[in-house]
Amino acid sequence: MDIGIVGAGNIGTTLAGLFTDAGHGVILSDPRGPQSLESTVEDLGPRAHAGDVEEAVRLGSVVVLALPFRNRESLPSGDLFAGKVVVDATTPDGDSAEMLDLPRTSSEYIAEQVPGARVVKTFDTMHWESLREAAGRDGEDRLALFLAGDDPRAKATVAGLVEDVGFAPVDTGTLVEGGRRQRPGTDLYDDPLTEAEARDRLSSVEPSP
Ligand SMILES: NC(=O)c1ccc[n+]([C@@H]2O[C@H](COP(=O)([O-])OP(=O)(O)OC[C@H]3O[C@@H](n4cnc5c(N)ncnc54)[C@H](OP(=O)(O)O)[C@@H]3O)[C@@H](O)[C@H]2O)c1
């Protein structure tokens, strides 16, 4: 599958590596344009290509948003995202005190920026170094990644990608309810857990307000 990635920092580049290792194609993008990513895609190998942000969105069967949450309003507008499976990996964490106190989950704001997209929230709860180090563990040692979303088929597609890169997908619910369960500050956030531990933890987590 070709996966467009918007944002080529810690998370975007880590995911690009995991996806290409798993046999997927990647179109990696940042606001500075494809030339700025030449050496990055060379390191990633032949399955990785650099593009501008619009190309990453247009060419990706799935589009991963790995840009700072505060920059979401610069995402392409119009119907470019309509019908796309969009993975929202952003968190407002660390941007500003105001953002940490948002009245809605980050995905609700992201969904407004990508009209018609089928948004799934995942890759947001684990630090990029853990993501890189823990990918591909076997059996009971396999770590969980939480995902939230409203569209069951989009969720299944993204759960498949989570499995492809060597994690166990654990469904937290709808974009709003699940998003509240896995937002920064909750017991599901930034704590590497095996699938069994994750399911146990999830059973006791109420959506944060
Ligand atoms: N770091 C983590 O462990 C972690 C874990 C889970 C989720 N997240 C979330 O993932 C997102 C990225 O985090 P990060 O640590 O990877 O940040 P980062 O290392 O600072 O990388 C951000 C990337 O996004 C690009 N970017 C900035 N504005 C953009 C725009 N308007 N359109 C397209 N690309 C843009 C940046 O390009 P330039 O270099 O040109 O500015 C850079 O390539 C954040 O929302 C963060 O909360 C991070």
Side-chain angles (χ1 to χ4, degrees):
M1 178 187 295
D2 285 334
I3 302 167
I5 301 182
V6 179
N10 293 319
I11 280 288
T13 306
T14 298
L15 288 175
L18 298 183
F19 290 141
T20 51
D21 285 351
H24 294 291
V26 154
I27 307 100
L28 190 60
S29 69
D30 75 6
R32 287 172 289 145
Q35 275 141 345
S36 70
L37 296 170
E38 269 173 17
S39 68
T40 307
V41 293
E42 202 179 308
D43 291 347
L44 286 164
R47 294 196 186 97
H49 302 277
D52 61 29
V53 171
E54 276 208 24
E55 280 170 333
V57 175
R58 206 158 17 83
L59 299 177
S61 302
V62 169
V63 179
V64 178
L65 302 181
L67 74 165
F69 176 74
R70 63 178 174 273
N71 291 354
R72 65 195 178 279
E73 287 177 11
S74 73
L75 286 167
S77 54
D79 63 359
L80 207 58
F81 284 98
K84 289 262 176 200
V85 176
V86 170
V87 173
D88 174 21
T90 71
T91 67
D93 188 39
D95 283 327
S96 72
E98 184 193 346
M99 287 201 188
L100 285 173
D101 205 20
L102 289 171
R104 294 187 292 159
T105 59
S106 49
S107 289
E108 291 170 78
Y109 296 91
I110 289 286
E112 284 177 0
Q113 295 300 140
V114 292
R118 301 143 74 202
V119 179
V120 179
K121 181 98 182 158
T122 193
F123 298 120
D124 57 315
T125 57
M126 189 178 285
H127 191 265
W128 66 274
E129 286 170 312
S130 304
L131 209 49
R132 185 171 288 181
E133 283 160 18
R137 289 189 192 164
D138 286 327
E140 290 180 2
D141 292 333
R142 185 163 275 221
L143 294 190
L145 283 173
F146 296 103
L147 70 163
D150 295 335
D151 183 314
R153 284 177 57 205
K155 239 182 191 174
T157 299
V158 176
L161 288 177
V162 166
E163 284 177 335
D164 288 350
V165 300
F167 291 89
V170 173
D171 189 339
T172 60
T174 63
L175 202 60
V176 172
E177 294 282 300
R180 286 187 190 149
R181 290 188 173 97
Q182 64 189 66
R183 76 196 303 193
T186 65
D187 285 347
L188 305 189
Y189 188 77
D190 197 18
D191 190 6
L193 301 168
T194 64
E195 182 176 4
E197 289 168 338
R199 293 195 184 282
D200 186 49
R201 187 77 65 89
L202 179 61
S203 66
S204 62
V205 169
E206 289 301 317
S208 79

